[in-house]
Amino acid sequence: MRIDLHTHSRASDGTQTPTELVGAAVAAGLDVLALTDHDTTDGWAEAAEAAERQGLELVRGMELSTRHQDHGVHLLAYLPDPTYPPLVEELDRVLAGRRGRVPTMIARLRELGIGIDEEDVRRAAAGTAATGRPHVADALVARGVVADRTEAFDRFLGWGRPAHVDRYAAPLVDVIRHVAAAGGVTVVAHPWGRSSRRRPDEQDLAQLQEIGLAGIEVDHQDHDEPTRAELRAIARNLGLVVTGSSDHHGAGKLDHELGVNTTAPEEYHRLLDLAAAASAASGRRTPEVVRP
Ligand SMILES: [Zn+2]
Ligand SMILES: [Zn+2]
């Protein structure tokens, strides 16, 4: 059983429609796929329909932009009721912040002599709810300023680079609580990844677990072997679920092919058990796993 629990579609910054992503997952020999677009559930309905049609098990999720002790943390949320009001409010605030920083980034780029405008970014975003930095990067690629997204982030848009603009991110602790109250479960994405300026240690993770964190993403392309071993040991000590995933973005991110990392079936089932318990305790109407 091959399980990939972290992927993006065009609903955020992937390059495939949810239907194309499901088709690619089947072609890659996956049995279970989670769709986890940034801060939006817009791709859920189409992905669920495609998964049913194509015989793929699908978990509906999101990757939420949060902040903890003044640092950005990506939090994967699986199977929450997407209509739970406190969660909806946080998502609205995050999406507004994401969109809101685009004009500032464009202005900074202009100061650097790079003339892209909002129309370029809109074209690159093609109707996604989560228009933001990756689409500014795509506009830079389309204009021939950089070769790919990675170069755009490294030279201009990444943290500490000249066109970087901070934006709103929801407090991590609040989001973990909201997702639990919405009947879902949470997993910290790439906790010691490239973009993590401060690495949460065992004590931090234990505190997050106390308020409801279910697991950590250990097998991710941002983590080298020693990092994975260290994180796996922490997860074992604390009893956190260990996941492994591709963080696939279609053609939007190199070296993140579907199934490049996978989650062990027993860990996946532990995660589903925790989700079922959270769902029962919440009394919310949570999305089912789509089963072929
Ligand atoms: Zn991430
Ligand atoms: Zn991701």
Side-chain angles (χ1 to χ4, degrees):
M1 203 178 177
R2 300 189 71 224
I3 303 161
D4 189 339
L5 295 180
H6 180 172
T7 67
H8 299 267
S9 77
R10 285 202 71 98
S12 62
D13 57 345
T15 58
Q16 294 157 307
T17 65
T19 305
E20 288 165 349
L21 175 64
V22 166
V26 172
L30 292 176
D31 302 289
V32 181
L33 179 80
L35 175 66
T36 54
D37 277 308
H38 292 286
D39 307 303
T40 180
T41 62
D42 281 1
W44 280 15
E46 185 186 325
E49 212 177 287
E52 239 164 76
R53 219 171 33 235
Q54 302 193 46
L56 183 74
E57 185 162 324
L58 178 88
V59 178
R60 281 165 272 205
M62 274 178 278
E63 183 174 18
L64 302 164
S65 312
T66 79
R67 189 164 289 274
H68 189 53
Q69 296 162 349
D70 221 29
H71 297 279
V73 175
H74 284 180
L75 185 72
L76 295 161
Y78 298 107
L79 301 167
D81 173 1
T83 68
Y84 179 62
L87 191 58
V88 172
E89 276 163 36
E90 280 298 356
L91 288 177
D92 284 348
R93 236 172 295 178
V94 170
L95 288 176
R98 196 187 276 280
R99 278 191 294 269
R101 76 171 165 173
V102 168
T104 319
M105 281 189 281
I106 289 171
R108 297 242 172 111
L109 287 166
R110 279 179 185 280
E111 283 166 23
L112 298 167
I114 296 160
I116 65 163
D117 55 33
E118 290 203 43
E119 189 45 46
D120 292 324
V121 177
R122 237 194 312 276
R123 209 174 303 126
T128 162
T131 304
R133 198 162 48 150
H135 308 109
V136 176
D138 289 346
L140 289 171
V141 175
R143 281 280 166 128
V145 178
V146 294
D148 52 33
R149 273 189 191 173
T150 307
E151 189 187 345
F153 277 75
D154 287 350
R155 283 179 56 196
F156 300 111
L157 305 173
W159 189 81
R161 306 312 303 155
H164 182 266
V165 178
D166 252 333
R167 69 174 161 95
Y168 176 79
L172 173 64
V173 169
D174 293 358
V175 180
I176 290 174
R177 290 204 174 101
H178 291 332
V179 172
V185 285
T186 48
V187 169
V188 176
H190 44 77
W192 291 359
R194 270 191 285 269
S195 58
S196 319
R197 277 179 288 138
R198 184 187 166 281
R199 301 175 151 203
D201 59 16
E202 180 160 346
Q203 200 185 334
D204 298 325
L205 291 168
Q207 281 168 3
L208 298 174
Q209 186 182 23
E210 240 165 75
I211 60 164
L213 181 72
I216 54 176
E217 187 179 57
V218 171
D219 293 299
H220 184 281
Q221 294 301 78
D222 274 9
H223 297 152
D224 60 14
E225 276 311 324
T227 302
R228 294 180 191 206
E230 224 177 304
L231 281 170
R232 212 180 300 280
I234 290 175
R236 197 177 311 122
N237 284 346
L238 298 177
L240 287 166
V241 172
V242 169
T243 68
S245 303
S246 63
D247 200 357
H248 182 67
H249 283 68
K253 212 172 186 179
L254 301 176
D255 193 29
H256 288 259
E257 292 317 308
L258 285 165
V260 66
N261 300 296
T262 55
T263 299
E266 56 276 19
E267 297 294 316
Y268 172 56
H269 289 118
R270 277 179 68 205
L271 193 67
L272 290 189
D273 288 347
L274 290 169
S279 173
S282 73
R284 307 291 309 180
R285 246 186 88 208
T286 53
E288 304 270 346
V289 173
V290 175
R291 292 209 166 82

